[in-house]
Amino acid sequence: GPLSERPLMEVRLGELHTWASTCSFSAQGLLGAVQRAWGSYCAKYIHVKQGGPAGISMLLAGYCLLSYGWNYQHFSKASYLRNS
């Protein structure tokens, strides 16, 4: 198809400047690009036909990392008090 309708991953390196000049950098154009990116993300990772334990595992791992980050000062103070 025409160069302006191709997704970024299908544009060759030599065509990148021409492709970027056809893009709309207005607020409406950027909003449309964000909506297309979110739609492709959802299609690839969220709306899958068969789910597995990977989604729940990523959710639990993210929660563990956030919880550790939130409580880091508490953990470091407790460790300091034990070692003195």
Side-chain angles (χ1 to χ4, degrees):
L3 185 61
S4 62
E5 293 180 6
R6 285 191 212 163
L8 176 61
M9 298 305 291
E10 293 180 9
V11 176
R12 292 188 177 135
L13 191 58
E15 301 170 331
L16 188 60
H17 183 274
T18 309
W19 177 82
S21 66
T22 63
C23 294
S24 172
F25 291 104
S26 65
Q28 186 176 5
L30 292 174
L31 181 62
V34 169
Q35 287 175 336
R36 286 190 303 275
W38 177 252
S40 67
Y41 171 80
C42 284
K44 187 172 182 178
Y45 296 107
I46 305 297
H47 305 298
V48 293
K49 289 186 179 183
Q50 271 190 325
I56 294 172
S57 299
M58 286 191 295
L59 182 67
L60 288 174
Y63 173 75
C64 289
L65 288 173
L66 282 174
S67 177
Y68 181 79
W70 288 329
N71 295 313
Y72 178 75
Q73 289 181 347
H74 174 72
F75 291 147
S76 63
K77 286 180 185 175
S79 173
Y80 175 75
L81 293 175
R82 263 192 310 244
N83 292 333
S84 23

